[in-house]
Amino acid sequence: MFARVFAWLRRHPRLVDLLWALPILGISLSVIETFTDPHILYQRPIAWYAYLALVAAMCVPMIWRRRWPRAVFAFIACVAFVQWAFNIQVSPVDLNLFVMLYLIAAEYAFIWSIMAAAVVELGAALAVWRWWVDQDAGQKWSTLIPFTIFTGAIWVWGLYVSTRRKYTAELEERAKRLERERDAHMQVAAAGERARIAREMHDVIAHSVSVMVVQADGASYMVDIDPARAKRAMETIGATGRQALTEMRRMLGVLREGGDAGPYAPQPGVEQLAELVDQIRSAGLPVGLTVEGVPSELPTALQLTVYRIVQEALTNTRKHAGPAATAEVNLHYGDDAVEIRIRDDGRGAAAPGDGQGHGLVGMSERAALYGGSVRTGPRPGGGWEVFARLPATEARRAETSAA
């Protein structure tokens, strides 16, 4: 209930300003006789309408204190000075000066609060020296001190509120900034994930479709000459297509919100390189595979990177090296890194390109994820070479930290 009341009051600031002015206005009107009675000591009596004019001049502007705080303070200060000049003693409406001092200190820069406090303190000093005429200088100073303390308390209160507001605004801005940074990080992560899926899809589709096209061309040529070989080619097309569909379902399954990707085949790794080479060999490209060094247990993600680099390199060989080319895959296990070298004796630099180059970029991006590098280029004497070096220790450390 109180929260609703406060929310309603915040939506009606003009009404709140009016409520600030009404109590002081009521008190001022209740003591009107004190200021119009000629028998009150140290006071020059004034007519009731003059006193009402003074009260109105000091209270009515408070309605606009939020909209024009400095102008309202200046106006009220001028009215108070006229009151002092005409020897009209201090009245309850003069409390509006302190209300405006608080508002100036809370809303404006420090220099404005200092100026407003100086004006109020000067007015207090003029009032004491004029209306406390029966006191000596020491007594007047003793009378001025409470006014000074009260003025300083109002001023400090306004500064405190100003500081709290700035601190709250800073916290809100920091929260918004952190939220924007979080959204930016999420977008970067999403973009990275999309790029990863795009690389995976490129590798799967480029390899599988290339194998299927070669096998389909061979099957169409051999269907009348050697039906058995044509049948084997068609079986290879079916197996390759099913494998591609399985991998694509697995990759696309991670995009389902709250869904289960299903029991798809595991990610290919180093152990599947022999199957990959056999598949390429059955597609018409003579390929050899050699493994050097002592095989070590590699992280799953690094094994997938090795597999994709070999797959992409052989796919490019089959597409660009020429019909009489052969290839050789060499996998070397070192103490701290895995090295992959894929060579062919095809056209090399003379091979026509497709103008896209996504495969080479994808290999470099995959290797860079593990602090590795990929070097590609024509071989001396003809052919093409792809060399990749992947630090195994860095990959193990990344997998351990992720776990």
Side-chain angles (χ1 to χ4, degrees):
M1 177 180 180
F2 290 104
R4 290 196 297 268
V5 171
F6 289 146
W8 186 83
L9 291 176
R10 282 194 295 269
R11 291 194 301 269
H12 300 82
R14 188 67 58 82
L15 177 61
V16 176
D17 295 338
L18 181 61
L19 294 176
W20 269 95
L22 286 179
I24 297 178
L25 178 62
I27 296 174
S28 300
L29 294 179
S30 66
V31 296
I32 185 172
E33 294 183 358
T34 304
F35 289 85
T36 57
D37 189 349
H39 301 291
I40 299 296
L41 195 60
Y42 308 132
Q43 176 193 323
R44 177 182 176 184
I46 60 175
W48 64 269
Y49 51 84
Y51 179 75
L52 291 181
L54 171 66
V55 172
M58 295 288 279
C59 291
V60 172
M62 295 296 289
I63 299 176
W64 296 278
R65 68 184 182 92
R66 293 181 186 271
R67 189 170 184 180
W68 300 297
R70 287 177 292 189
V72 171
F73 175 78
F75 181 82
I76 292 178
C78 291
V79 173
F81 180 76
V82 172
Q83 176 186 359
W84 176 85
F86 282 89
N87 197 22
I88 303 174
Q89 195 167 338
V90 177
S91 68
V93 290
D94 293 307
L95 290 174
N96 286 332
L97 279 171
F98 296 98
V99 174
M100 294 309 302
L101 170 61
Y102 159 79
L103 188 60
I104 294 296
E107 297 288 342
Y108 290 95
F110 182 76
I111 185 63
W112 285 104
S113 67
I114 286 288
M115 294 171 61
V119 170
V120 175
E121 181 64 19
L122 176 61
L126 291 177
V128 169
W129 251 258
R130 180 158 196 170
W131 288 311
W132 276 262
V133 294
D134 61 334
Q135 298 179 350
D136 55 25
Q139 292 175 323
K140 288 183 178 180
W141 279 109
S142 299
T143 305
L144 181 61
I145 289 176
F147 285 101
T148 303
I149 294 175
F150 186 69
T151 301
I154 296 296
W155 177 65
V156 171
W157 184 22
L159 290 181
Y160 171 76
V161 172
S162 176
T163 303
R164 290 292 300 176
R165 288 177 180 173
K166 292 177 181 178
Y167 177 71
T168 303
E170 183 179 353
L171 290 180
E172 293 177 352
E173 177 60 29
R174 181 181 179 184
K176 293 179 181 178
R177 184 173 63 253
L178 291 176
E179 186 176 354
R180 291 194 297 268
E181 292 177 356
R182 183 199 63 187
D183 293 341
H185 289 319
M186 292 177 61
Q187 292 176 2
V188 171
E193 183 66 13
R194 287 195 296 269
R196 185 189 68 81
I197 294 176
R199 288 194 299 266
E200 296 287 342
M201 295 291 289
H202 171 272
D203 292 344
V204 171
I205 294 174
H207 168 74
S208 302
V209 172
S210 178
V211 171
M212 293 167 67
V213 168
V214 172
Q215 293 291 341
D217 291 341
S220 63
Y221 176 75
M222 299 296 297
V223 66
D224 296 326
I225 302 175
D226 192 345
R229 293 184 61 182
K231 180 180 179 181
R232 288 196 298 271
M234 297 299 292
E235 291 174 349
T236 302
I237 292 175
T240 303
R242 284 190 294 271
Q243 181 183 0
L245 285 175
T246 299
E247 293 196 41
M248 284 190 293
R249 285 170 182 163
R250 184 193 61 247
M251 288 182 291
L252 296 178
V254 301
L255 301 180
R256 299 177 183 174
E257 297 182 359
D260 186 5
Y264 304 126
Q267 293 276 20
V270 175
E271 296 180 355
Q272 283 72 41
L273 285 179
E275 298 178 9
L276 175 64
V277 169
D278 291 340
Q279 188 182 50
I280 296 294
R281 192 181 295 121
S282 65
L285 175 65
V287 183
L289 173 64
T290 59
V291 179
E292 300 176 352
V294 179
S296 58
E297 185 66 24
L298 299 177
T300 304
L302 184 62
Q303 291 193 42
L304 176 62
T305 299
V306 173
Y307 183 92
R308 293 305 187 198
I309 289 177
V310 175
Q311 183 185 52
E312 179 62 32
L314 293 179
T315 300
N316 289 339
T317 298
R318 190 174 59 250
K319 290 169 60 178
H320 305 297
T326 62
E328 179 68 27
V329 178
N330 178 265
L331 179 64
H332 176 75
Y333 290 94
D335 294 334
D336 58 352
V338 178
E339 296 180 349
I340 312 106
R341 191 183 303 271
I342 304 98
R343 298 176 176 177
D344 67 63
D345 56 0
R347 299 189 181 102
D354 57 7
Q356 301 298 322
H358 295 309
L360 300 180
V361 174
M363 286 191 290
S364 299
E365 290 179 348
R366 287 181 181 278
L369 289 176
Y370 302 98
S373 60
V374 174
R375 185 178 69 250
T376 62
R379 297 172 56 196
W384 192 268
E385 180 182 74
V386 175
F387 175 76
R389 187 178 188 277
L390 304 173
T393 55
E394 187 71 22
R396 293 191 186 98
R397 189 180 302 111
E399 186 178 68
T400 302
S401 62

